[in-house]
Amino acid sequence: MSVREMLENREREILSEKAARSSESKGRVRSENSCEIRTDFQRDRDRIIHSKAFRRLKHKTQVFISPMGDHYRTRLTHTLEVAQIARTIARSLCLNEDLTEAIALGHDLGHTPFGHMGERVLNEICPTGFKHNEQSLRVVDVLEGGGGLNLTYEVRDGIVCHTGAKRADTLEGRIVAVADKIAYVNHDIDDSIRGGLLSENDIPKEFSDVLGNRHSARIDTMIKAAISGSEHDIVMEHDIVMEPDIYDAMMGLRQFLFDNVYLNKNAEVATEEDKAKNIIEGLYSRFVNDIDLIPADARNNSRTDDNSIIAMDYIAGMSDPFAIARYEELFIPKFWVN
């Protein structure tokens, strides 16, 4: 018996009957021989971690564009926090941690530079529109490595369904959708306080009384509410839910962030976002009109002749510093020295 087969047997023995089992996966688009030492979900996790798209997340904005400070979240640290929260919930509910982790690590691979502002701009200017969850699926299916990562159905489904109206087919995918909200609601408050946009006293008492008065306390409350709220629903409804009062407080806190941080930036932050918006618009227009400015391998990876999609893929894959560097290369004159 191989190591992989022993791990698959362990899944059958210890996981909930509602858990997704790697040996029962719906499979990959292109068939492959199984690994001797890793389950299919472990293999997917490893492919995501070793991908270039994953490494680029370290230089992509979460909320604050190019913050001066080591402790602000990036898209990579957000992804790691989601994975930690999701694994804790999955472990407590006897669900598949490997599948949960793979989905969490891949859920934001398609996110743009400059955070959600970048996503909004591409959605406005691209004829096909743009959604980062759909782009994340496109990264793992098409763009990464010149042909995609050929992940299992369950991981792909969890990635594209981590946000939006459509729910993931697996409980593990639904855990990631909840963990994503828990992570960004809490760390965006933490970063907003660090950046001086909020203070702890600004958080409405109706939410802090329910969730807690500290960053760690709020995360702890939400995770426990997701575990306790789901224990019954996994059996009866095949779903992941939070206890209603905690969920309502979390969503109230999320709306508070929209009203006071995401959509109500101070003048300095708004100015920097306008600059980033100009970068994305300028790059997109230039690339669509002169597609040869995009490297040949990037053009080929898109597997299409549509310049707008090729430009969208290329820009969405950029880190913040790379987008700035390309803009400077194409739009900022260089000094001529004799």
Side-chain angles (χ1 to χ4, degrees), residues 5-259:
E5 290 170 330
M6 287 191 292
L7 293 173
E8 290 172 345
N9 283 342
R10 189 181 301 170
E11 287 182 351
R12 285 188 282 269
E13 291 171 359
I14 67 175
L15 295 185
S16 162
E17 64 177 15
K18 301 293 184 178
R21 289 169 169 75
S22 55
S23 60
E24 299 170 6
S25 169
K26 293 183 180 180
R28 308 178 187 277
V29 175
R30 302 183 299 276
S31 62
E32 298 180 8
N33 293 328
S34 298
C35 178
E36 292 183 1
I37 60 174
R38 295 171 297 170
T39 69
D40 282 350
F41 297 151
Q42 290 174 333
R43 203 175 187 185
D44 284 358
R45 175 203 59 203
D46 295 349
R47 289 180 179 182
I48 290 168
I49 287 177
H50 291 287
S51 69
K52 292 179 180 177
F54 184 78
R55 295 198 294 275
R56 290 196 298 269
L57 295 178
K58 67 182 178 181
H59 291 306
K60 289 194 176 191
T61 288
Q62 176 61 26
V63 173
F64 296 97
I65 296 174
S66 301
M68 293 300 292
D70 292 337
H71 300 144
Y72 290 94
R73 271 73 171 188
T74 65
R75 190 62 58 181
L76 178 60
T77 56
H78 161 73
T79 294
L80 296 176
E81 291 185 31
V82 173
Q84 175 269 317
I85 292 169
R87 285 188 59 185
T88 297
I89 297 171
R91 185 185 305 122
S92 299
L93 296 172
C94 291
L95 298 175
N96 197 310
E97 278 189 65
D98 293 327
L99 172 57
T100 305
E101 184 179 29
I103 295 169
L105 293 174
H107 83 282
D108 268 356
L109 290 180
H111 226 302
T112 62
F114 309 123
H116 286 286
M117 186 282 301
E119 180 176 20
R120 289 194 299 270
V121 174
L122 279 184
N123 187 51
E124 291 169 2
I125 62 180
C126 295
T128 57
F130 182 90
K131 294 180 179 178
H132 78 270
N133 58 316
E134 295 176 358
Q135 189 68 13
S136 294
L137 183 62
R138 181 165 169 77
V139 168
V140 300
D141 277 357
V142 179
L143 300 176
E144 182 65 33
L149 300 177
N150 197 32
L151 304 182
T152 57
Y153 168 84
E154 292 77 10
V155 174
R156 295 171 59 249
D157 171 72
I159 287 173
V160 76
C161 294
H162 81 268
T163 187
K166 189 175 184 300
R167 307 290 303 284
D169 287 348
T170 64
L171 291 170
E172 290 81 0
R174 296 184 182 194
I175 284 175
V176 173
V178 172
D180 186 36
K181 289 185 177 67
I182 293 174
Y184 75 69
V185 165
N186 282 288
H187 65 49
D188 288 356
I189 287 176
D190 193 40
D191 281 355
S192 296
I193 292 173
R194 178 173 291 106
L197 297 182
L198 295 175
S199 72
E200 191 70 50
N201 292 331
D202 291 326
I203 299 174
K205 196 170 184 299
E206 61 184 296
F207 305 138
S208 59
D209 283 349
V210 175
L211 301 173
N213 293 303
R214 292 178 296 111
H215 175 71
S216 59
R218 287 189 286 268
I219 292 180
D220 185 65
T221 298
M222 293 180 191
I223 290 175
K224 289 177 178 176
I227 294 168
S228 59
S230 299
E231 286 172 334
H232 176 266
D233 278 70
I234 285 177
V235 176
M236 302 301 295
E237 304 291 341
H238 191 72
D239 205 0
I240 300 296
V241 298
M242 294 180 75
E243 293 174 0
D245 58 330
I246 305 299
Y247 178 81
D248 290 344
M250 180 183 75
M251 296 306 288
L253 201 52
R254 179 177 179 271
Q255 187 59 50
F256 170 78
L257 281 168
F258 270 94
D259 295 339

